[in-house]
Amino acid sequence: MTNETETVSESYVHGYKSRENERLQDQAGTLIDLLHYDTFYPSGSTVLEVGCGVGAQTLTLAERSRDAQFTSIDLAPESIEEAKRRADGAGLTNVKFRQGDIFDLPFPAESFDHVFVCFVLEHLARPVEALAILKKLLRPNGSITVIEGDHGSTYFHPESAAARAAIDCLVTIQRNAGGNALIGRQLYPLIVAADFEAVRVSPRMVYVDSSRSDLVDGFTRKTFIAMIQGIRESAIAAGLIEPERFDAGVDDLYRTTQKDGVFCYTFFKALAEKRQTTNPGDAAPKVFANVATADGVDQG
Amino acid sequence: MTNETETVSESYVHGYKSRENERLQDQAGTLIDLLHYDTFYPSGSTVLEVGCGVGAQTLTLAERSRDAQFTSIDLAPESIEEAKRRADGAGLTNVKFRQGDIFDLPFPAESFDHVFVCFVLEHLARPVEALAILKKLLRPNGSITVIEGDHGSTYFHPESAAARAAIDCLVTIQRNAGGNALIGRQLYPLIVAADFEAVRVSPRMVYVDSSRSDLVDGFTRKTFIAMIQGIRESAIAAGLIEPERFDAGVDDLYRTTQKDGVFCYTFFKALAEKRQTTNPGDAAPKVFANVATADGVDQG
């Protein structure tokens, strides 16, 4: 463990621009039930949210657990400002926002009952180190919840090599920036490597056919395809793909939103505990109430 | 619609050999809850199971719905014999077995309340035609349940190009035999194309990390890797891959069963109805009790 500071990559692929913010908000709006039906923190517990961005997850967390106290941090001051505005607009009084770096957090050890991390580890070159730092901030018997996507979990009908090539550009750009767009499937080994216990991973698959028009629009178009379109210029500038090929890939992704098309993507949600190993007299957190329902098979 | 006979491809990739039968049995044993927690047929209803093979699904169906009457057919007489032995061994009295071809079935129109098809359409060159034939056999307001895998839904950690190449061999072999190993994701458009109504598809994702040792052994090793190993000779004989590359791929698939490995695969289960369109006086089936729980997101 070191105290050196690692910032999230400057070429952070999701950006902090306003159209991106809208996309992240759309994403949370469509996916709230999928990701958060089992996210709940008990009354009086303290929760650290790392990498809150513009507050897309924060609002859901704080609204679902009104009697828990949230501290939400992000590296970008402008994101924090926007998150504050949104939390105020939603009338939330149980969230404090702070600017901060996950590798240099301004909190003493064992400050929180729970930690929540969503769409953050994918951008870090040293995710296990970040998890170990977060573990130090947890009280014994505290929990960590981690949610990440996995772009390699994407498949669709009709199949398209061009669409796969466009998606691969995003995977490459994120890797070149020090991140990992395939991190969802790796949550279990990463969290185990950071010495957490009782690690349970639960896949959250988004299945979209034309009978599910809300997901066709809210997820396939406005979340996934919008994200791919967002890296067009950088993918071409980096020489990863020809413009025509990229555009054909995007067209083919739109093709999956037609009447006979299908689109699949999987998020992974992990829940783990910091078990009490020494000093039984340490302050214990509130009762652990963030229920894991995964049991190896994901029953739709 | 024609009455010509189409047989399942002679190079049926799963084979009818006894080690293959064991594998199929292992598969059903591990996956029963995943595939069948919501499979139930009401008392007195009649169910046609098409392509029962050696009875891997039949036993589960007939045990879960003891007061329904099953008719299970398969193209291969030796599979029917084995299925009969197993059903007798399990003490089941609510199943009749018959040899038969899905494209030339010996039943009059509107003979059954429900139809069940599992791991069959993947082997057919004309799946929509098969579905339309099965629809004719259903009474108005009857249901069809279809379950298929999708080998393109496979992903794992650590990633391996050799493992993907070995899996692609199976996809190619199945395509060359007139089948479709990527059919799972296509169930919705196929069933809609066969004019069924109220089509609902529910993905059933198998997520395997080392905390789930039953699935590591029962699914990743004994079902999926065994299936890939089963096509080694034909893949090499067909010039699809070099032996060293294939074996490296299988080694890499085994690598995913280690402590830090992860393996993901998704089955798709569809439920659809034949709505009563004419002749309201036709015999109606028993109350529809095969509950669809899918609502677009697969909550683990």
Side-chain angles (χ1 to χ4, degrees), chain A residues 33-51:
Chain A
D33 286 342
L34 176 66
L35 301 179
H36 293 299
Y37 72 91
D38 56 354
T39 310
F40 175 74
Y41 296 103
S43 179
S45 63
T46 57
V47 184
L48 173 66
E49 183 197 8
V50 179

Side-chain angles (χ1 to χ4, degrees), chain B residues 265-297:
Chain B
Y265 185 93
T266 299
F267 295 90
F268 292 80
K269 181 173 186 175
L271 182 63
E273 295 174 40
K274 173 182 182 171
R275 289 275 166 83
Q276 188 148 8
T277 49
T278 51
N279 306 327
D282 284 354
K286 303 292 172 187
V287 174
F288 181 68
N290 197 341
V291 182
T293 56
D295 40 18
V297 290

Side-chain angles (χ1 to χ4, degrees), chain A residues 9 121-125 171 173-181:
Chain A
S9 160
L121 298 187
E122 60 172 323
H123 301 295
L124 303 180
V171 174
I173 287 173
Q174 200 153 341
R175 186 171 53 235
N176 291 346
N180 179 3

